């Protein structure tokens, strides 16, 4: 996703507690006023459980 940077993703998920699931990541991004592209990308991830932010980043940028 070329128009999404790792920094954008980090800002969107600021304050997230891990381990977590996809639903909580989407809610955290909404709470942080992330743009719709980030929210949709998180909501459409195939993986549902994440142990940390690096795992989320891999899922977002490698799908």
């Amino acid at each position: 996703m070329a128009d999404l940077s790792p920094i954008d993703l980090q800002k969107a998920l600021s304050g997230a507690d891990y381990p977590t699931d996809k639903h909580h990541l989407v809610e955290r991004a909404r709470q942080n006023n992330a743009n719709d592209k980030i929210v949709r990308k998180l909501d459409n991830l195939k993986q549902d459980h994440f142990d940390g932010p690096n795992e989320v980043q891999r899922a977002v940028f490698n799908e």
Side-chain angles (χ1 to χ4, degrees):
M1 182 170 218
D3 54 345
L4 173 62
S5 75
I7 292 171
D8 294 332
L9 183 63
Q10 288 174 3
K11 288 179 183 177
L13 299 178
S14 177
D17 293 321
Y18 296 93
T20 193
D21 61 27
K22 180 170 59 173
H23 171 75
H24 286 99
L25 293 176
V26 169
E27 289 304 311
R28 174 56 64 181
R30 287 185 177 135
Q31 289 171 358
N32 288 335
N33 299 314
N35 71 42
D36 289 339
K37 287 183 180 183
I38 293 174
V39 173
R40 277 194 310 272
K41 182 66 174 175
L42 291 168
D43 200 31
N44 290 326
L45 290 173
K46 294 174 187 158
Q47 186 174 342
D48 188 55
H49 181 83
F50 301 90
D51 289 325
N54 290 337
E55 195 172 359
V56 176
Q57 189 165 323
R58 278 192 302 274
V60 167
F61 292 104
N62 292 330
E63 279 195 359

